[in-house]
Amino acid sequence: MVAWLGTDAHGLERPPDLRLLLPAAAAWLAALGALAAPPWLAWLCAGLAACGALAAFFAARPPWEVPALALAATLACCATVAAVAGAHVHRTVSSAAAEAAGRGGDALFRAVVSADPRPRAGMPRPGRAEWVVPARTEWVRLDGRADASRAPVVVLASGEGWADLLPGQSFEARGAFLEADGDRLTAALVPVRGPPEKVRGPGRLQVFAAGVRSGLREATAELPQPARGLLPALVLGDVSALPESTAEDFRATGMTHLLTVSGANLAILTGFVLGAARWTRAPTWCAVLGGALMIWVFVLVCRPEPSVVRAAFMGSLGLLALASGRAHAGLGALCATVVGVLFVAPGLAASYGFALSVLATAGILLLVPGWTRAWSSRCPAPVAEAFAVAVAAHVAVAPVLVLLSGEVSWVSVPANVLAAPVVAAVTVAGSALAALAAVWPEGAAALVHLPGLGVSWIAVVAETGARVPYGALPWRSDVAGALLLAAVVAVFLLTRGVLRRVVAAAAVAVLVLGLAARCVPGGWPPPGWVLLACDVGQGNALVLSSGPGEAVVFDVGQEPEPVDGCLERLGVREIPLLVLSHDHADHVDGAPGVLRHRTVSAALAPEGFGRSPVGRLLAEEGVALTAAERGQRFRVGPWLLRVLWPEAGFTGSVNDTSVVVRADGPEMSVLLTGDIEQEAQGRLLHGPEPDLLSVTVLTTPHHGAGDQDPDFLSATGAAVSVTSVGRDNRHGHPAPSTWDLLERTARVNARTDRDGDVAVLGGPVRVAVRGAEAEPDR
């Protein structure tokens, strides 16, 4: 039967089934609106939409019967989703957990783990939570009584016992309830110290699922990284052992979807079951029952992540169609999946993972059949199909990806094409390996190298794609930018013939011109830069040019991404010496960004730094670490580096043990000071070689804090001061008194919170920021 906007018939030659497209899109928008609105407003809109649906249904008369019924269905979907979303928000904001967050202070609570605990991103620090545990409270004790509260919370936990919790286990703990800004479906953030108490044992099904996941992890222990962490991620979505650098490579090359199990994995598994049923000539009900069991096991083991939920719901519709003897249209099933999922879990409307999964599937369903037929005349059909799938998925998700990354990658399509055939083989072999590991761990460990070869190839593709210079173009990362990119994609897809070629030529011209604008001289960094202060927020990261593609790095900021981006803009690939002034997060925790795709030959840090998390990371990467001590000298390219501080046996504060280095080059001298305060500054000022403090460029100690020795700053006689500081930081850096001292001392004063990246140029000494340049008045 062919109906308005689509057909129920099966076949690629039939038009796509669009009858549920409008209800699905409207339900999605209604969920987003209801999640952002007060519950009463969501319910009011739901009531109005329900009334409109009834009016449209009873008013349906020829010749407008079909559009009226479509409108009624759309409004009914909107009403249902808005009402459910309002109920979810009301339950969360009126819960005892939310009340505890509003009051502040500690409270005792009992909760049920709702997802696997995951390590908190970033370097571990004393007093910083180690684990992020999504949970649902059962009760919260307020005013001496335990108030029932079934509300989602995020527990930020430190201590023993958290890593071993499984979904479904309940525990008691005491923590400080904090408001979860920006998330209407999370009642509170709860930092907790110490282990969980009164933990109830997990259910048998969760023990089984955890055994499958841990069995695959143990089997892959024989593989080197990143294959060791990548295989469980591709097969089960288990990223617990995946190196952060590998995850960043996948993000940079548009391959992040491979780390999230979804429809492709489930299609392979259910296809195996249905194929076995067909081969054995089993009745249809056996095939349906086997497929349903496989979907249930898939969700249990891979966890109900947004992409998994979407795949499971869509797979269930396929089995329903098989059981009823009716073929179903793929796009219609996808739209029905969106509506059904949002009926149950409207919060997924705001999930990037759910959006990426739905859009990628829609792109493949709509575009791949036609593109495969068209391209098969020019290349083998398997190659045409693989290329069509990669391009269609990337084109469909591009507007969402730009919200996440702020860039449009041209490397992602070839990277996905190269990886796609291997991904299918790895999924099949990895799934079989996971099943084997559950019953015969030794056999799985012996056979793991077979899928390991494929995983290694995928990792090489991602790493190579991430290293391509200018592999992505900057793009607006807001809704306007996403809509603009969606409009460009739509114009390209909907045009034909000469008009399409014109649009394609214009897009290529913009791409080439954009790349040329980034590559031509005269951009950033400016030619002749000698010292550059990276804008890494409230932190410190300084770079001394020591040759083409090579530099000395002094401190690395708190987050890996800013310093990695700064070094990428500078074209730095070799770091002969990495100096880490002291073990404070805002100076050293960005180390993974420096190590990413770069060779670091040696590192210099205070005594005992090797026992810190960053010190252990350097050891794992094979970087030789030397303890800094006054009097040491290093020759790196044109620079003579002399360690002025700390002196042997000094036992002051962590800030005052900062490594202080004087760098002398052919065009200028630089004093790199870390976070030294008055005590260390005074000792340097009255030390054996105070004349070494006189330099051309001073990097301001401790981000310009107020604990400065005025005589020390004056003794430097610097023509230029550079202050690394974050915008609107809570410390009030730089202090007004310190800034006044700097302005009286140096002729040019730059700071990263106002100027961004700051470059100091040689011959004669100048300071450059984006769009401006200043020269000291000598």
Side-chain angles (χ1 to χ4, degrees), residues 297-476:
V297 172
F298 176 76
V299 175
L300 177 67
V301 174
C302 297
R303 309 306 193 201
E305 299 292 334
S307 60
V308 175
V309 171
R310 195 278 310 161
F313 199 101
M314 194 168 178
S316 300
L317 289 179
L319 292 178
L320 182 63
L322 178 63
S324 64
R326 297 182 60 193
H328 69 284
L331 189 62
L334 178 62
C335 293
T337 296
V338 171
V339 174
V341 168
L342 293 180
F343 277 3
V344 178
L348 290 181
S351 166
Y352 282 112
F354 185 70
L356 291 173
S357 179
V358 170
L359 290 176
T361 304
I364 291 171
L365 290 172
L366 284 172
L367 303 176
V368 167
W371 287 358
T372 301
R373 288 193 299 269
W375 298 344
S376 294
S377 61
R378 301 182 181 90
C379 60
V383 176
E385 184 175 3
F387 190 70
V389 168
V391 175
H394 183 68
V395 164
V397 302
V400 177
L401 287 178
V402 81
L403 293 173
L404 295 171
S405 63
E407 59 187 22
V408 177
S409 172
W410 60 268
V411 176
S412 59
V413 170
N416 278 281
V417 168
L418 291 172
V422 183
V423 169
V426 167
T427 301
V428 174
S431 300
L433 190 72
L436 181 62
V439 295
W440 188 23
E442 295 79 9
L447 297 175
V448 73
H449 294 282
L450 294 177
L453 292 174
V455 170
S456 298
W457 165 254
I458 297 170
V460 168
V461 170
E463 181 178 348
T464 304
R467 289 189 174 196
V468 173
Y470 310 111
L473 290 177
W475 196 274
R476 290 187 58 163

Side-chain angles (χ1 to χ4, degrees), residues 118-274:
R118 64 181 186 273
R120 193 172 183 187
M123 289 292 172
R125 287 275 159 195
R128 188 175 185 269
E130 303 173 57
W131 298 96
V132 177
V133 186
R136 185 184 67 255
T137 58
E138 291 185 335
W139 52 258
V140 178
R141 189 174 295 279
L142 297 174
D143 299 327
R145 69 178 189 278
D147 292 338
S149 171
R150 296 181 60 83
V153 296
V154 176
V155 178
L156 305 176
S158 299
E160 300 292 332
W162 294 100
D164 300 326
L165 291 178
L166 296 177
Q169 283 190 277
S170 63
F171 63 91
E172 288 185 15
R174 177 176 290 276
F177 281 68
L178 308 174
E179 293 184 356
D181 295 333
D183 188 351
R184 303 289 303 282
L185 295 181
T186 298
L189 303 177
V190 191
V192 173
R193 297 282 178 251
E197 300 176 353
K198 299 182 181 180
V199 179
R200 292 176 184 165
R204 293 181 180 179
L205 295 178
Q206 292 299 338
V207 171
F208 164 76
V212 174
R213 294 167 73 90
S214 64
L216 183 59
R217 284 196 301 268
E218 291 171 6
T220 58
E222 301 291 327
L223 299 176
Q225 286 287 28
R228 185 192 315 152
L230 191 53
L231 183 57
L234 293 174
V235 176
L236 301 178
D238 181 1
V239 297
S240 59
L242 186 69
E244 183 60 34
S245 58
T246 302
E248 182 63 21
D249 289 344
F250 274 67
R251 185 205 64 77
T253 51
M255 297 168 62
T256 304
H257 62 282
L258 298 180
L259 303 179
T260 305
V261 293
S262 60
N265 305 65
L266 185 58
I268 292 170
L269 297 175
T270 53
F272 173 79
V273 172
L274 297 178

Side-chain angles (χ1 to χ4, degrees), residues 535-633:
D535 179 13
V536 293
Q538 182 63 14
N540 199 53
L542 300 147
V543 187
L544 293 169
S545 176
S546 58
E550 154 180 320
V552 175
V553 176
F554 186 93
D555 284 341
V556 294
Q558 184 163 353
E559 301 293 338
E561 291 78 14
V563 68
D564 179 32
C566 182
L567 294 176
E568 191 71 27
R569 292 189 293 272
L570 298 177
V572 173
R573 291 296 175 190
E574 302 285 336
I575 300 176
L577 182 63
L578 170 64
V579 184
L580 299 172
S581 64
H582 64 297
D583 188 25
H584 275 173
D586 59 334
H587 289 251
V588 301
D589 278 8
V594 174
L595 294 169
R596 183 171 180 257
H597 299 159
R598 297 180 185 88
T599 301
V600 179
S601 303
L604 183 69
E607 181 70 36
F609 188 83
R611 297 187 294 273
S612 69
V614 176
R616 291 192 292 270
L617 174 64
L618 294 176
E620 292 172 3
E621 297 292 331
V623 179
L625 180 62
T626 301
E629 188 175 326
R630 186 164 65 186
Q632 292 170 322
R633 295 186 176 209

